[in-house]
Amino acid sequence: MHLLQTIEAQGNILLLRTFESGSEPENQQVFKAEKGEIWWPSESEIWLGLGKTPKIPAILKIFRSLFFKRKDRWPEQIVLDAKGKSTQWIEAAVNGMMLGGYNIQLYKSEPKVFSTFFNESGKLFVLVDQVSNENETAINLAHKTALTQIRIMDLMNAPGNYKSPEILGDWAIESGEKNGYKVTVFDQEKLGELGMEALLAVSKGSDVPPVMIVSEYKPESYQKTIALVGKGVTFDTGGISIKPSTNMHLMKSDMGGAAAVLGMVELAAQLKLPVRIIGIIPSTENSVDGTSMKPGDVINSYAGKTIEVIDTDAEGRLILADGLSYAVREFNPDVVIDLATLTGSVIQTLGYEAAGLFSSSDNLAADLIKAGENTGERLWRLPIWDEYKEEISSDIADLKNYHGKPFAGAIVAAKFLEVFTDEHPEWAHLDIAGMAFGEAEFAPGRAGTAFGIRLLRDYLSAL
């Protein structure tokens, strides 16, 4: 799709105009500009209602929903009336329009044809009061972000047999070569040499070898180094503590944290953000066979901490333990943020409206919450008090990976991860289990959302 600024709408191209409730055109009684409402005053013009005083995240969702619903009926060229709109409004609208054309039909032999508007021949003219660099920057930001989100949604929606840990590593290497950042992939032998015992223990039940992906985007000038650590379980059976068969097929999505990190490092390189970013992704399958890690086993870790495995389905925190320790000790970052589809507990707490945020740093938590509000990828801070430490106390090892109680599951998981941060003062854990893969208006059924990319982009851009 080509994106162009214009100061004049051509009469032969469909014009999309938006209105807020209370400011809809006069001399008509049909269109009330309610949220998502559409009306065709003529064949060459469409009106879209935005509701009453919509915030920027709502703008994105309204456009995304509209363009998905009509994904096979848009003309090849459209003019978006953005006169009088802010650059933030333009960025959200364009991003939503592009995501509305997301095509989830990855492996269909006869996929349904979408409008050519979403292809390379499509053109979106953004009608503005004056052509400016600021508008161009907003359009470019929306374009690059959407393209990255679409690539990440493809990863999330791919089945486990199409995205092994090695395939994730290949994805990162290709992206690094294309976008100019460094990528190293540690194979199983190298993981053994480094002492990544927790990651290796989780991988024992699978014949697919684990990897750890280490990406580094380093601009010419920067003030801070941010480490992003993402859980990359490409399929999760639960191991010996096997999950129920109902919905197990959705466990292809258990690499949502890894997907967010892969996407953010790529996008940061494309946008040339003035901050050094380290992306760490421990990746494995969690499968079942005679060599699988068993409940009651005691395993080691990169940090040298011994772990009693109470539940093999609490595997995400085990591989993150090695990833976090490596990030902190090898790169000495100013800030460490991990993202993971970690617990069902956080979904019971927050539903599908926000991810759980855990941090002992008030400033970091506030910055991330602000970024979430700006982008609509919301976070809700939960406690990480030391009183929860006793829940991971083990009689025979340094700590255990699960407390086995029907409460505070997400908090206890966060306390486990905290042990492997070497008391880093600026660490945050984002439990995105309810947000990375779910019901979405721009894809049928449950699908990947690319949650975390816009959130992290906003946070990193403000540093």
Side-chain angles (χ1 to χ4, degrees), residues 12 26 32 45 64 83 85 124 149 174 193 210 213 243 255 285-286 310 327-328 345 365 403 440:
N12 61 335
E26 298 178 355
K32 299 300 180 183
E45 186 172 326
R64 190 173 66 188
K83 285 191 171 183
K85 305 298 185 184
L124 173 62
Q149 287 174 293
E174 182 181 354
E193 293 175 4
I213 304 165
K243 296 176 181 289
M255 35 64 71
E285 285 186 346
N286 185 24
I310 302 301
V328 171
S345 173
H403 68 334

PDB file of all heavy atoms in Angstrom, residues 12 26 32 45 64 83 85 124 149 174 193 210 213 243 255 285-286 310 327-328 345 365 403 440:
ATOM      1  N   ASN A  12     -13.016  11.433  -8.130  1.00  0.00           N
ATOM      2  CA  ASN A  12     -13.259  10.062  -8.579  1.00  0.00           C
ATOM      3  C   ASN A  12     -12.738   9.009  -7.607  1.00  0.00           C
ATOM      4  O   ASN A  12     -12.736   7.822  -7.901  1.00  0.00           O
ATOM      5  CB  ASN A  12     -12.621   9.841  -9.955  1.00  0.00           C
ATOM      6  CG  ASN A  12     -11.109  10.038  -9.925  1.00  0.00           C
ATOM      7  OD1 ASN A  12     -10.600  10.757  -9.066  1.00  0.00           O
ATOM      8  ND2 ASN A  12     -10.410   9.412 -10.851  1.00  0.00           N
ATOM      9  N   GLU A  26     -25.424  18.633   9.476  1.00  0.00           N
ATOM     10  CA  GLU A  26     -26.801  19.083   9.685  1.00  0.00           C
ATOM     11  C   GLU A  26     -27.660  18.752   8.460  1.00  0.00           C
ATOM     12  O   GLU A  26     -27.182  18.202   7.476  1.00  0.00           O
ATOM     13  CB  GLU A  26     -26.803  20.591   9.949  1.00  0.00           C
ATOM     14  CG  GLU A  26     -26.021  20.984  11.209  1.00  0.00           C
ATOM     15  CD  GLU A  26     -26.008  22.480  11.416  1.00  0.00           C
ATOM     16  OE1 GLU A  26     -26.512  23.212  10.540  1.00  0.00           O
ATOM     17  OE2 GLU A  26     -25.480  22.929  12.457  1.00  0.00           O
ATOM     18  N   LYS A  32     -25.961   9.643  13.115  1.00  0.00           N
ATOM     19  CA  LYS A  32     -25.763  10.262  14.421  1.00  0.00           C
ATOM     20  C   LYS A  32     -24.318  10.178  14.902  1.00  0.00           C
ATOM     21  O   LYS A  32     -24.031  10.553  16.038  1.00  0.00           O
ATOM     22  CB  LYS A  32     -26.686   9.599  15.457  1.00  0.00           C
ATOM     23  CG  LYS A  32     -28.164   9.736  15.134  1.00  0.00           C
ATOM     24  CD  LYS A  32     -28.600  11.193  15.050  1.00  0.00           C
ATOM     25  CE  LYS A  32     -30.075  11.322  14.738  1.00  0.00           C
ATOM     26  NZ  LYS A  32     -30.483  12.746  14.581  1.00  0.00           N
ATOM     27  N   GLU A  45     -18.581   8.850  -1.330  1.00  0.00           N
ATOM     28  CA  GLU A  45     -18.264   9.360   0.001  1.00  0.00           C
ATOM     29  C   GLU A  45     -18.872   8.463   1.067  1.00  0.00           C
ATOM     30  O   GLU A  45     -20.011   8.002   0.940  1.00  0.00           O
ATOM     31  CB  GLU A  45     -18.792  10.790   0.155  1.00  0.00           C
ATOM     32  CG  GLU A  45     -18.385  11.471   1.456  1.00  0.00           C
ATOM     33  CD  GLU A  45     -18.756  12.952   1.477  1.00  0.00           C
ATOM     34  OE1 GLU A  45     -18.694  13.585   0.390  1.00  0.00           O
ATOM     35  OE2 GLU A  45     -19.114  13.463   2.560  1.00  0.00           O
ATOM     36  N   ARG A  64      -9.848   0.016  12.460  1.00  0.00           N
ATOM     37  CA  ARG A  64      -9.472  -1.384  12.263  1.00  0.00           C
ATOM     38  C   ARG A  64     -10.699  -2.251  12.040  1.00  0.00           C
ATOM     39  O   ARG A  64     -10.733  -3.094  11.143  1.00  0.00           O
ATOM     40  CB  ARG A  64      -8.689  -1.861  13.488  1.00  0.00           C
ATOM     41  CG  ARG A  64      -8.019  -3.209  13.333  1.00  0.00           C
ATOM     42  CD  ARG A  64      -7.140  -3.488  14.532  1.00  0.00           C
ATOM     43  NE  ARG A  64      -7.923  -3.633  15.759  1.00  0.00           N
ATOM     44  CZ  ARG A  64      -7.416  -3.727  16.977  1.00  0.00           C
ATOM     45  NH1 ARG A  64      -6.101  -3.659  17.135  1.00  0.00           N
ATOM     46  NH2 ARG A  64      -8.181  -3.882  18.032  1.00  0.00           N
ATOM     47  N   LYS A  83      -8.186  16.478   7.782  1.00  0.00           N
ATOM     48  CA  LYS A  83      -8.016  17.912   7.995  1.00  0.00           C
ATOM     49  C   LYS A  83      -8.360  18.276   9.438  1.00  0.00           C
ATOM     50  O   LYS A  83      -9.377  17.849   9.985  1.00  0.00           O
ATOM     51  CB  LYS A  83      -8.910  18.700   7.040  1.00  0.00           C
ATOM     52  CG  LYS A  83      -8.384  18.729   5.601  1.00  0.00           C
ATOM     53  CD  LYS A  83      -9.156  19.736   4.764  1.00  0.00           C
ATOM     54  CE  LYS A  83      -8.505  19.925   3.398  1.00  0.00           C
ATOM     55  NZ  LYS A  83      -9.195  20.950   2.594  1.00  0.00           N
ATOM     56  N   LYS A  85      -6.861  17.321  12.039  1.00  0.00           N
ATOM     57  CA  LYS A  85      -6.561  16.250  12.981  1.00  0.00           C
ATOM     58  C   LYS A  85      -5.100  16.316  13.421  1.00  0.00           C
ATOM     59  O   LYS A  85      -4.231  16.781  12.698  1.00  0.00           O
ATOM     60  CB  LYS A  85      -6.838  14.882  12.355  1.00  0.00           C
ATOM     61  CG  LYS A  85      -8.252  14.713  11.798  1.00  0.00           C
ATOM     62  CD  LYS A  85      -9.308  14.850  12.877  1.00  0.00           C
ATOM     63  CE  LYS A  85     -10.700  14.556  12.316  1.00  0.00           C
ATOM     64  NZ  LYS A  85     -11.758  14.764  13.322  1.00  0.00           N
ATOM     65  N   LEU A 124      -3.530   5.029  -0.318  1.00  0.00           N
ATOM     66  CA  LEU A 124      -4.268   5.786   0.678  1.00  0.00           C
ATOM     67  C   LEU A 124      -3.757   7.219   0.652  1.00  0.00           C
ATOM     68  O   LEU A 124      -2.583   7.476   0.927  1.00  0.00           O
ATOM     69  CB  LEU A 124      -4.080   5.187   2.069  1.00  0.00           C
ATOM     70  CG  LEU A 124      -4.673   6.002   3.229  1.00  0.00           C
ATOM     71  CD1 LEU A 124      -6.189   6.138   3.087  1.00  0.00           C
ATOM     72  CD2 LEU A 124      -4.300   5.388   4.575  1.00  0.00           C
ATOM     73  N   GLN A 149       3.576  -5.340  13.053  1.00  0.00           N
ATOM     74  CA  GLN A 149       2.502  -6.033  13.779  1.00  0.00           C
ATOM     75  C   GLN A 149       1.949  -7.192  12.952  1.00  0.00           C
ATOM     76  O   GLN A 149       1.670  -8.274  13.491  1.00  0.00           O
ATOM     77  CB  GLN A 149       1.378  -5.046  14.110  1.00  0.00           C
ATOM     78  CG  GLN A 149       1.721  -4.056  15.203  1.00  0.00           C
ATOM     79  CD  GLN A 149       0.620  -3.024  15.382  1.00  0.00           C
ATOM     80  OE1 GLN A 149       0.375  -2.198  14.496  1.00  0.00           O
ATOM     81  NE2 GLN A 149      -0.047  -3.066  16.515  1.00  0.00           N
ATOM     82  N   GLU A 174      17.221 -13.214   9.836  1.00  0.00           N
ATOM     83  CA  GLU A 174      16.819 -12.548   8.590  1.00  0.00           C
ATOM     84  C   GLU A 174      16.449 -11.094   8.833  1.00  0.00           C
ATOM     85  O   GLU A 174      16.823 -10.204   8.069  1.00  0.00           O
ATOM     86  CB  GLU A 174      15.634 -13.301   7.973  1.00  0.00           C
ATOM     87  CG  GLU A 174      15.159 -12.728   6.661  1.00  0.00           C
ATOM     88  CD  GLU A 174      13.971 -13.469   6.077  1.00  0.00           C
ATOM     89  OE1 GLU A 174      13.584 -14.511   6.654  1.00  0.00           O
ATOM     90  OE2 GLU A 174      13.417 -13.015   5.067  1.00  0.00           O
ATOM     91  N   GLU A 193      27.085 -25.258  27.282  1.00  0.00           N
ATOM     92  CA  GLU A 193      28.343 -24.637  27.679  1.00  0.00           C
ATOM     93  C   GLU A 193      28.106 -23.439  28.605  1.00  0.00           C
ATOM     94  O   GLU A 193      28.887 -23.206  29.535  1.00  0.00           O
ATOM     95  CB  GLU A 193      29.105 -24.177  26.436  1.00  0.00           C
ATOM     96  CG  GLU A 193      29.595 -25.309  25.553  1.00  0.00           C
ATOM     97  CD  GLU A 193      30.235 -24.800  24.267  1.00  0.00           C
ATOM     98  OE1 GLU A 193      30.361 -23.558  24.122  1.00  0.00           O
ATOM     99  OE2 GLU A 193      30.593 -25.619  23.399  1.00  0.00           O
ATOM    100  N   PRO A 210      16.174 -26.638  21.624  1.00  0.00           N
ATOM    101  CA  PRO A 210      15.926 -25.268  22.084  1.00  0.00           C
ATOM    102  C   PRO A 210      16.976 -24.312  21.536  1.00  0.00           C
ATOM    103  O   PRO A 210      18.036 -24.729  21.053  1.00  0.00           O
ATOM    104  CB  PRO A 210      16.048 -25.392  23.604  1.00  0.00           C
ATOM    105  CG  PRO A 210      17.110 -26.445  23.772  1.00  0.00           C
ATOM    106  CD  PRO A 210      16.872 -27.438  22.653  1.00  0.00           C
ATOM    107  N   ILE A 213      17.827 -16.721  21.550  1.00  0.00           N
ATOM    108  CA  ILE A 213      18.075 -15.671  20.562  1.00  0.00           C
ATOM    109  C   ILE A 213      18.534 -14.415  21.293  1.00  0.00           C
ATOM    110  O   ILE A 213      17.866 -13.955  22.231  1.00  0.00           O
ATOM    111  CB  ILE A 213      16.796 -15.373  19.760  1.00  0.00           C
ATOM    112  CG1 ILE A 213      16.268 -16.650  19.093  1.00  0.00           C
ATOM    113  CG2 ILE A 213      17.044 -14.283  18.728  1.00  0.00           C
ATOM    114  CD1 ILE A 213      14.841 -16.527  18.587  1.00  0.00           C
ATOM    115  N   LYS A 243      -1.699 -30.479  30.137  1.00  0.00           N
ATOM    116  CA  LYS A 243      -2.906 -29.665  30.097  1.00  0.00           C
ATOM    117  C   LYS A 243      -4.096 -30.501  29.624  1.00  0.00           C
ATOM    118  O   LYS A 243      -3.917 -31.510  28.928  1.00  0.00           O
ATOM    119  CB  LYS A 243      -2.727 -28.495  29.121  1.00  0.00           C
ATOM    120  CG  LYS A 243      -1.658 -27.497  29.493  1.00  0.00           C
ATOM    121  CD  LYS A 243      -1.521 -26.441  28.406  1.00  0.00           C
ATOM    122  CE  LYS A 243      -0.438 -25.424  28.737  1.00  0.00           C
ATOM    123  NZ  LYS A 243      -0.830 -24.534  29.845  1.00  0.00           N
ATOM    124  N   MET A 255       4.212 -18.167  22.825  1.00  0.00           N
ATOM    125  CA  MET A 255       5.438 -17.416  22.541  1.00  0.00           C
ATOM    126  C   MET A 255       5.107 -15.954  22.279  1.00  0.00           C
ATOM    127  O   MET A 255       5.827 -15.241  21.579  1.00  0.00           O
ATOM    128  CB  MET A 255       6.202 -18.030  21.357  1.00  0.00           C
ATOM    129  CG  MET A 255       5.363 -18.625  20.236  1.00  0.00           C
ATOM    130  SD  MET A 255       4.337 -17.418  19.343  1.00  0.00           S
ATOM    131  CE  MET A 255       5.587 -16.534  18.449  1.00  0.00           C
ATOM    132  N   GLU A 285      10.075 -25.987  22.929  1.00  0.00           N
ATOM    133  CA  GLU A 285       8.779 -26.629  23.110  1.00  0.00           C
ATOM    134  C   GLU A 285       8.722 -27.191  24.521  1.00  0.00           C
ATOM    135  O   GLU A 285       9.753 -27.471  25.138  1.00  0.00           O
ATOM    136  CB  GLU A 285       8.594 -27.781  22.116  1.00  0.00           C
ATOM    137  CG  GLU A 285       8.303 -27.378  20.704  1.00  0.00           C
ATOM    138  CD  GLU A 285       7.992 -28.564  19.810  1.00  0.00           C
ATOM    139  OE1 GLU A 285       8.256 -29.726  20.219  1.00  0.00           O
ATOM    140  OE2 GLU A 285       7.483 -28.343  18.702  1.00  0.00           O
ATOM    141  N   ASN A 286       7.523 -27.389  25.039  1.00  0.00           N
ATOM    142  CA  ASN A 286       7.324 -28.102  26.300  1.00  0.00           C
ATOM    143  C   ASN A 286       6.474 -29.324  25.982  1.00  0.00           C
ATOM    144  O   ASN A 286       5.256 -29.228  25.886  1.00  0.00           O
ATOM    145  CB  ASN A 286       6.636 -27.215  27.338  1.00  0.00           C
ATOM    146  CG  ASN A 286       6.532 -27.884  28.701  1.00  0.00           C
ATOM    147  OD1 ASN A 286       7.308 -28.776  29.015  1.00  0.00           O
ATOM    148  ND2 ASN A 286       5.575 -27.451  29.499  1.00  0.00           N
ATOM    149  N   ILE A 310       7.781 -28.215  40.847  1.00  0.00           N
ATOM    150  CA  ILE A 310       6.522 -28.727  41.396  1.00  0.00           C
ATOM    151  C   ILE A 310       5.547 -29.048  40.273  1.00  0.00           C
ATOM    152  O   ILE A 310       4.824 -30.044  40.319  1.00  0.00           O
ATOM    153  CB  ILE A 310       5.894 -27.698  42.361  1.00  0.00           C
ATOM    154  CG1 ILE A 310       6.866 -27.355  43.494  1.00  0.00           C
ATOM    155  CG2 ILE A 310       4.568 -28.205  42.915  1.00  0.00           C
ATOM    156  CD1 ILE A 310       7.290 -28.538  44.333  1.00  0.00           C
ATOM    157  N   ALA A 327      20.539 -11.646  30.595  1.00  0.00           N
ATOM    158  CA  ALA A 327      20.387 -10.244  30.204  1.00  0.00           C
ATOM    159  C   ALA A 327      21.039  -9.310  31.216  1.00  0.00           C
ATOM    160  O   ALA A 327      21.760  -8.373  30.856  1.00  0.00           O
ATOM    161  CB  ALA A 327      18.904  -9.907  30.049  1.00  0.00           C
ATOM    162  N   VAL A 328      20.801  -9.563  32.496  1.00  0.00           N
ATOM    163  CA  VAL A 328      21.315  -8.687  33.548  1.00  0.00           C
ATOM    164  C   VAL A 328      22.831  -8.797  33.664  1.00  0.00           C
ATOM    165  O   VAL A 328      23.543  -7.781  33.750  1.00  0.00           O
ATOM    166  CB  VAL A 328      20.639  -9.023  34.891  1.00  0.00           C
ATOM    167  CG1 VAL A 328      21.314  -8.271  36.037  1.00  0.00           C
ATOM    168  CG2 VAL A 328      19.156  -8.672  34.844  1.00  0.00           C
ATOM    169  N   SER A 345      -3.809 -17.234  35.858  1.00  0.00           N
ATOM    170  CA  SER A 345      -4.226 -16.443  37.013  1.00  0.00           C
ATOM    171  C   SER A 345      -4.441 -14.980  36.655  1.00  0.00           C
ATOM    172  O   SER A 345      -5.376 -14.336  37.139  1.00  0.00           O
ATOM    173  CB  SER A 345      -3.177 -16.550  38.123  1.00  0.00           C
ATOM    174  OG  SER A 345      -3.459 -15.686  39.198  1.00  0.00           O
ATOM    175  N   ALA A 365       7.106   1.627  36.509  1.00  0.00           N
ATOM    176  CA  ALA A 365       5.698   1.222  36.423  1.00  0.00           C
ATOM    177  C   ALA A 365       4.841   2.357  35.878  1.00  0.00           C
ATOM    178  O   ALA A 365       3.974   2.138  35.019  1.00  0.00           O
ATOM    179  CB  ALA A 365       5.196   0.783  37.796  1.00  0.00           C
ATOM    180  N   HIS A 403       3.579 -22.745  43.669  1.00  0.00           N
ATOM    181  CA  HIS A 403       3.142 -22.927  45.054  1.00  0.00           C
ATOM    182  C   HIS A 403       1.954 -23.867  45.188  1.00  0.00           C
ATOM    183  O   HIS A 403       1.623 -24.294  46.302  1.00  0.00           O
ATOM    184  CB  HIS A 403       2.858 -21.585  45.716  1.00  0.00           C
ATOM    185  CG  HIS A 403       1.671 -20.842  45.167  1.00  0.00           C
ATOM    186  ND1 HIS A 403       1.194 -21.002  43.891  1.00  0.00           N
ATOM    187  CD2 HIS A 403       0.858 -19.901  45.737  1.00  0.00           C
ATOM    188  CE1 HIS A 403       0.165 -20.208  43.697  1.00  0.00           C
ATOM    189  NE2 HIS A 403      -0.064 -19.526  44.804  1.00  0.00           N
ATOM    190  N   ALA A 440     -10.632 -10.981  18.498  1.00  0.00           N
ATOM    191  CA  ALA A 440     -10.306  -9.696  17.881  1.00  0.00           C
ATOM    192  C   ALA A 440     -11.278  -9.428  16.749  1.00  0.00           C
ATOM    193  O   ALA A 440     -11.636 -10.339  16.007  1.00  0.00           O
ATOM    194  CB  ALA A 440      -8.867  -9.700  17.365  1.00  0.00           C
TER     195      ALA A 440
END
